[in-house]
Amino acid sequence: MEVWINNPFDNLPGEGRRPQRYNLLCRALTKAGHRVVWWSSDFSHATKRPRRLEAVYRAPEGFDVRLIPTLPYRDNIGLRRAWSHRRYAAAWERMAVAAVEAGALPKPDLVLTSWPPIETAAVARRFRERWGCKAVVDVMDAWPENFHRLIPGPPWVKEMVGRLVFASAHRAARRAYRLADAVSAVGVTYLGLAMRYGCRAPRHLCYHGIMRMNNGASRYSLDESEPLRLIYVGNMGRSYDLATVVRAVRRLAEAGESLRLDLAGTGPREPLLRREAKGCAAIRFHGYLSNEDMQQLLADSDVAIVPMFPDSHVAVPYKLADYTAAGLPMICCLTGETQALIERYGAGAMYRAGDEADFTRVLKDYLHRRSRLTREALASARLARENFMMDAIYPEFVRFLEDLRRV
């Protein structure tokens, strides 16, 4: 089967960073005997810089990668990113049709597009009309629902006004879910969202995958005289309650508590966070790390932070898989599916987003009751083994896609 994947956000082979969802899916499809092309962007969503990769190349695992020229953007939420996605989708359509007509690529049997971007799902449907392929939407995020948070006011106002302001995006979502041959998603939450939009096609749940377990931290700081080592890995944008975390850690450190916070990643809020942390030796910024360096930092940590605002509409973030693969207990303010997973396994504690006092309360319990670290680390590792192991979940995803082609 000729399979095309379109996702412009994940790390690509050759970048030296942690293989994410679409890399692992491409590997699983290739291993199952399918020919795979991963269409992506020549602009890195993570670093907000041009990629230093060939426009067309073969990954070591045997699938092809083709890069699409992409208009840069600085903020994850904004008009420039929306315009960039529109141009990206149009460029993909032109490049793909030209490649097939020139004989450089065979026509696809199945095209899977991540959601977001919004526009690529419509392009995949046009490919279906042209070539008779299957069109699958893989839901990574709740677009445009997460844009509602930009609107001031209580939740019911955000919802009502958001439906009006982003009406065209909601129509696009309705068409994408209703007209897809199948919908897959990284969370049960998103499958439910697709159904509310009217999706009646086959649906499949596949969480973010991990390649291996890292056996948890090399040691835990059970002695209260040693620093409790906190870690955050990911974007530093407006969806993340990092200011609360940084302020709380700084004040606890100034009060004489023994702790350390490592922040790995970058984003538009990094300058603000650096100002909040200025002069505090307990808070360290590492920038965007290679996979090897990130795994080492995770292995040298005791507790991981999941500081995502609930109105970000994120179901299960990448960092949950990364943290649990390292066997780390988690302090989290993301409600919904992520909270349910953490509480079901007893793998961490919750705090109220934006509430520094509540975060401080939770953090002090870890500082002065270190015995909970070992118990919750084992629970976190079990959560990873039972939900995120790539060798279990991606072959199931491949079989789901193969069954679609037989229909």
Side-chain angles (χ1 to χ4, degrees):
M1 184 166 65
E2 301 285 344
V3 181
W4 287 3
I5 306 285
N6 190 304
N7 171 268
F9 309 125
D10 276 15
N11 300 330
L12 291 176
E15 292 186 308
R17 299 191 175 100
R18 173 247 204 265
Q20 295 173 301
R21 181 179 187 80
Y22 296 97
N23 188 319
L24 300 180
L25 177 57
C26 288
R27 293 183 189 201
L29 284 161
T30 302
K31 186 176 181 180
H34 304 292
R35 291 175 294 277
V36 181
V37 177
W38 180 1
W39 296 87
S40 187
S41 169
D42 68 354
F43 170 75
S44 170
H45 174 73
T47 65
K48 302 297 186 288
R49 296 174 182 171
R51 283 184 155 128
R52 298 179 178 179
L53 297 167
E54 296 293 325
V56 178
Y57 68 100
R58 173 66 59 91
E61 295 78 15
F63 55 88
D64 292 330
V65 179
R66 287 179 171 251
L67 302 186
I68 299 166
T70 304
L71 178 71
Y73 51 88
R74 295 184 62 184
D75 200 333
N76 284 354
I77 299 178
L79 293 176
R80 186 171 175 86
R81 183 181 179 186
W83 179 237
S84 175
H85 285 183
R86 184 169 297 182
R87 290 180 57 175
Y88 171 86
W92 177 40
E93 186 167 13
R94 289 194 303 271
M95 292 171 65
V97 170
V100 171
E101 290 181 347
L105 284 177
K107 63 183 182 181
D109 298 306
L110 183 145
V111 179
L112 181 147
T113 56
S114 70
W115 183 275
I118 290 175
E119 293 81 5
T120 51
V123 173
R125 295 197 301 271
R126 290 195 287 273
F127 290 163
R128 180 175 61 192
E129 294 173 5
R130 180 185 291 266
W131 295 316
C133 58
K134 298 290 186 179
V136 181
V137 173
D138 184 52
V139 189
M140 294 277 291
D141 207 347
W143 276 38
E145 284 76 13
N146 60 359
F147 296 156
H148 294 184
R149 64 192 303 265
L150 301 177
I151 298 167
W156 68 270
V157 170
K158 293 177 183 287
E159 177 69 14
M160 181 180 66
V161 176
R163 290 281 170 180
L164 295 174
V165 172
F166 303 111
S168 62
H170 280 284
R171 287 194 296 270
R174 189 175 301 109
R175 287 192 295 269
Y177 294 132
R178 289 183 176 181
L179 300 177
D181 293 301
V183 171
S184 52
V186 301
V188 176
T189 304
Y190 296 151
L191 294 178
L193 178 66
M195 293 176 67
R196 289 195 295 277
Y197 271 103
C199 173
R200 296 297 177 264
R203 295 173 295 279
H204 180 75
L205 170 68
C206 179
Y207 286 124
H208 295 305
I210 55 174
M211 297 184 68
R212 59 185 177 274
M213 299 294 296
N214 299 326
N215 298 318
S218 55
R219 65 180 181 87
Y220 293 109
S221 301
L222 298 179
D223 184 346
E224 291 186 16
S225 67
E226 295 185 15
L228 181 73
R229 301 165 299 179
L230 310 172
I231 186 170
Y232 170 80
V233 175
N235 184 264
M236 298 180 188
R238 70 179 75 197
S239 295
Y240 303 87
D241 187 31
L242 285 167
T244 297
V245 174
V246 168
R247 282 194 295 266
V249 170
R250 188 193 72 223
R251 287 179 176 136
L252 285 171
E254 290 170 348
E257 295 283 6
S258 183
L259 77 171
R260 185 187 81 199
L261 171 63
D262 289 300
L263 297 141
T266 187
R269 298 297 174 93
E270 183 178 354
L272 179 149
L273 297 173
R274 285 184 177 274
R275 288 195 297 272
E276 290 280 2
K278 188 174 181 180
C280 181
I283 301 174
R284 307 188 300 184
F285 291 82
H286 297 268
Y288 202 74
L289 297 177
S290 68
N291 185 47
E292 181 179 345
D293 289 341
M294 186 187 80
Q295 296 303 330
Q296 185 59 56
L297 193 61
L298 287 164
D300 290 338
S301 301
D302 299 312
V303 179
I305 312 296
V306 187
M308 303 189 74
F309 289 110
D311 65 359
S312 66
H313 290 280
V314 171
V316 180
Y318 269 124
K319 55 182 59 63
L320 195 72
D322 292 329
Y323 294 161
T324 58
L328 290 173
M330 291 163 285
I331 300 177
C332 175
C333 65
L334 180 61
T335 55
E337 196 166 347
T338 291
Q339 178 179 0
L341 283 168
I342 290 173
E343 291 182 344
R344 184 190 313 161
Y345 284 85
M350 301 296 298
Y351 79 97
R352 289 185 298 276
D355 190 332
E356 184 182 334
D358 197 42
F359 179 82
T360 300
R361 175 190 60 80
V362 172
L363 186 50
K364 278 186 172 181
D365 194 65
Y366 280 98
L367 279 163
H368 301 300
R369 197 158 58 95
R370 306 270 180 120
S371 59
R372 68 183 295 184
L373 290 173
T374 302
R375 180 182 71 253
E376 291 184 8
L378 292 172
S380 179
R382 186 165 69 89
L383 195 166
R385 285 195 302 271
E386 295 181 4
N387 295 277
F388 303 135
M389 292 301 295
M390 62 168 285
D391 290 339
I393 63 176
Y394 283 94
E396 290 183 2
F397 199 172
V398 169
R399 286 191 289 273
F400 171 75
L401 298 176
E402 290 172 338
D403 289 343
L404 291 176
R405 187 57 187 163
R406 299 188 186 103
V407 177

